[in-house]
Amino acid sequence: MRSHCAEPEIKEILISREKIQSRVRELGEEISRDYAGKPLMLIGVLKGSFIFLADLMRHITIPCSVEFICLSSYEGGTESTGIVRMLLDLRSDSSGREVLIVEDIVDSGLTLNYLMDNLRTRHPASLEVCTLLNKPEERKIPVPVKYTGFEIPNKFVVGYGLDFQECYRNLSYIGVLKV
Ligand code: 5GP
């Protein structure tokens, strides 16, 4: 891990703050309509989804609770190792609940596939996925994503919660790192 975060070394702004904010609002409205009358359990996948989840939740107008799970698959690099480890588990029971996983990005699909298999064993009433970003070109395993903010090309992105070696999460836009 870097000892400090340098000035942003961003070569391209892929998605502006304004575009993110308006799409997140739309997603919140859509989710609120789809789950009307069904109390929702949001499960944020740490750390990358925390900013998206916080903004999304403020646009969800139906009753909902939030839980966090922490998975690790990249181990500080820019390519998935394929080995997923659970670093933090849910603190409340998800059985019989309407569960919506909130992810920052789906790339190979390995992380999400692991998480969905794991959560299915706990018998939720329903299990769906909302991801801010989707990189379909890199998919190694099919995963059912119900809500997608943006489809992006196969580039390593940072900002709005996504990091490179724990830096750049605080950017309000999604950018491509200079390499
Ligand atoms: P997957 O298992 O689908 O390959 O990867 C999912 C996880 O890898 C994401 O939750 C995220 O933490 C990380 N990841 C995948 N692509 C990117 C990317 O372009 N930028 C960053 N910062 N993380 C990524």
Side-chain angles (χ1 to χ4, degrees):
M1 193 188 299
R2 293 178 173 194
S3 57
H4 67 281
C5 295
E7 282 299 302
E9 297 158 352
I10 302 298
K11 77 170 170 211
E12 180 192 350
I13 296 182
L14 204 60
I15 310 171
S16 68
R17 173 195 187 123
E18 293 71 25
K19 280 200 178 136
I20 295 172
Q21 293 303 330
S22 106
R23 184 69 187 121
V24 172
R25 175 185 291 272
E26 285 174 1
L27 287 171
E29 289 168 357
E30 195 180 338
I31 291 166
S32 304
R33 281 194 300 274
D34 291 354
Y35 288 89
K38 297 188 235 171
L40 186 58
M41 179 189 249
L42 300 171
I43 298 184
V45 186
L46 293 174
K47 297 178 189 171
S49 75
F50 80 106
I51 292 182
F52 172 46
L53 174 61
D55 283 347
L56 179 69
M57 201 174 176
R58 280 177 279 195
H59 292 296
I60 294 181
T61 51
I62 56 163
C64 62
S65 62
V66 65
E67 283 288 331
F68 292 98
I69 223 160
C70 186
L71 301 174
S72 161
S73 57
Y74 275 36
E75 305 289 355
T78 60
E79 287 201 21
S80 183
T81 57
I83 301 161
V84 183
R85 287 194 300 141
M86 186 171 297
L87 305 178
L88 174 81
D89 203 350
L90 304 179
R91 294 188 64 181
S92 57
D93 188 5
S94 55
S95 71
R97 304 292 307 273
E98 311 285 342
V99 171
L100 181 62
I101 298 170
V102 180
E103 259 284 23
D104 53 353
I105 185 163
V106 183
D107 187 10
S108 67
L110 294 168
T111 308
L112 195 53
N113 183 61
Y114 167 89
L115 179 59
M116 292 192 85
D117 281 352
N118 183 300
L119 292 177
R120 273 191 208 104
T121 65
R122 310 181 198 197
H123 308 293
S126 67
L127 182 63
E128 301 288 357
V129 178
C130 174
T131 185
L132 176 70
L133 304 173
N134 190 8
K135 285 202 256 187
E137 286 167 48
E138 278 302 285
R139 198 71 90 250
K140 292 196 177 114
I141 191 155
V143 278
V145 177
K146 185 161 185 192
Y147 306 98
T148 299
F150 303 92
E151 287 208 348
I152 62 165
N154 182 26
K155 294 178 174 178
F156 190 80
V157 293
V158 293
Y160 198 65
L162 289 105
D163 77 312
F164 174 62
Q165 295 182 352
E166 292 304 324
C167 296
Y168 310 113
R169 293 192 198 273
N170 55 325
L171 302 179
S172 58
Y173 55 85
I174 299 287
V176 180
L177 213 54
K178 276 186 199 151
V179 276

